[in-house]
Amino acid sequence: MMSDAPIREPAYLEIEKLAVAYGDAFALDDVSLSVPRGALVSVVGANGAGKTTLIRAIAGMVQVHAGTIRFDGHDITSLSPDLVCEAGIGQVAEGRQIFPSLSVRENLRLGGALRRSRAHQKQNLERVETLFPRLAERRTQRAGSLSGGEQQMLAIARCMMAEPELIMLDEPSLGLSPLLTEQMFDIVRTLNGDGISIMLVEQNVTESLEISDSGYVLENGTVVLDGDARTLLESDLVKKAYLGM
Ligand code: ATP
């Protein structure tokens, strides 16, 4: 007999009951979350909550102990990092990880070297240099000589060169001045407005939830609260634990 229950469409990125351990210590346990297509979703939490581990698990950079990660209908749990990138998931790591001795242009070219984007490198360069005119001005400069804010822009621009459909950003505001932080969140919003799904991992709870559709609060490796971003911002837990109210 056919069931009348609606068939639930899997979300674009769907994580179910994910567990990751370093040795005997679980950094993530029973974490379920989803990023709908085109959405901007924040994962917030204090130092050591497991945010970076979550990104690294999706990116195929740490071993998954249990659970599944699905992207666009495919099981990508435990795929190698290069295959996760080829599947359309880009990441901007905490601490930026650009190549300091290479020029801005060379860093961008490396970002575009994936099979999925190689053929469009010229157009992609034009696109990111239009979005980040500062990087265009400095294209021949050594990346290591850029300011902290410019290096963060370069890390995002390099990620975009691979034409990701979903970008995971690990604390992009870390170490930036309030003005640059604001610009950074504007850029994240612009990318999302261009149709890129975003998973934004942040300690900057107010700013990230303010630009997000929905969010998850991670504490000690588990999700303690989730919901639409506005509701989270108004929740007692977020107000007390993260906004000092
Ligand atoms: P931060 O903002 O400080 O980066 P986070 O929320 O991103 O924090 P994680 O870096 O994912 O948290 O760390 C989660 C837990 O896993 C912490 O207790 C951390 O000490 C531990 N951890 C992270 N990386 C490793 C590792 N390579 N080996 C052992 N333990 C680790």
Side-chain angles (χ1 to χ4, degrees):
M1 200 176 85
M2 293 264 289
S3 159
D4 287 340
I7 298 167
R8 197 173 63 91
E9 281 251 338
Y12 199 36
L13 177 73
E14 180 136 68
I15 295 175
E16 270 179 328
K17 300 183 185 306
L18 185 68
V20 174
Y22 297 111
D24 290 340
F26 277 84
L28 294 177
D29 193 16
D30 201 25
V31 169
S32 296
L33 68 83
S34 61
V35 179
R37 192 185 285 271
L40 202 172
V41 175
S42 278
V43 179
V44 299
N47 263 335
K51 305 182 301 297
T52 300
T53 301
L54 175 64
I55 288 188
R56 292 174 65 83
I58 298 165
M61 296 165 76
V62 291
Q63 207 184 333
V64 169
H65 176 85
T68 54
I69 305 169
R70 296 179 71 78
F71 179 61
D72 205 12
H74 302 282
D75 189 343
I76 62 159
T77 323
S78 307
L79 274 193
S80 62
D82 55 324
L83 290 180
V84 174
C85 292
E86 290 288 0
I89 300 182
Q91 69 157 313
V92 180
E94 191 180 2
R96 290 142 206 171
Q97 299 186 340
I98 55 164
F99 296 100
S101 58
L102 300 184
S103 71
V104 167
R105 254 284 165 87
E106 286 162 340
N107 267 278
L108 290 176
R109 287 225 168 87
L110 280 176
L114 288 180
R115 209 174 317 130
R116 60 181 281 114
S117 57
R118 221 181 278 156
H120 318 135
Q121 189 158 95
K122 194 161 171 282
Q123 299 94 297
N124 288 336
L125 257 182
E126 278 168 19
R127 183 162 149 250
V128 300
E129 289 190 346
T130 306
L131 189 64
F132 301 100
R134 193 66 171 227
L135 297 180
E137 282 164 26
R138 283 155 206 257
R139 57 173 69 102
T140 58
Q141 198 169 314
R142 269 184 63 246
S145 68
L146 297 176
S147 73
E150 289 162 353
Q151 289 189 22
Q152 188 58 272
M153 305 292 163
L154 177 57
I156 295 178
R158 189 182 62 180
C159 177
M160 289 179 63
M161 288 293 295
E163 298 177 14
E165 291 164 27
L166 176 124
I167 298 183
M168 306 186 287
L169 293 137
D170 195 352
E171 299 198 30
S173 73
L174 196 72
L176 299 186
S177 67
L179 181 66
L180 282 173
T181 296
E182 212 174 292
Q183 286 177 11
M184 179 63 52
F185 282 114
D186 279 348
I187 286 166
V188 172
R189 222 195 315 223
T190 303
L191 298 182
N192 184 239
D194 281 352
I196 301 175
S197 311
I198 308 258
M199 189 174 102
L200 175 62
V201 158
E202 265 292 341
Q203 287 192 50
N204 221 324
V205 175
T206 316
E207 285 81 351
S208 53
L209 285 176
E210 270 172 356
I211 64 164
S212 295
D213 301 304
S214 58
Y216 293 81
V217 181
L218 209 54
E219 278 180 9
N220 296 320
T222 59
V223 174
V224 292
L225 192 66
D226 67 276
D228 75 82
R230 187 101 335 250
T231 309
L232 287 189
L233 268 173
E234 284 162 10
S235 71
D236 284 344
L237 183 133
V238 168
K239 277 188 186 159
K240 284 208 185 91
Y242 300 98
L243 310 180
M245 292 161 77

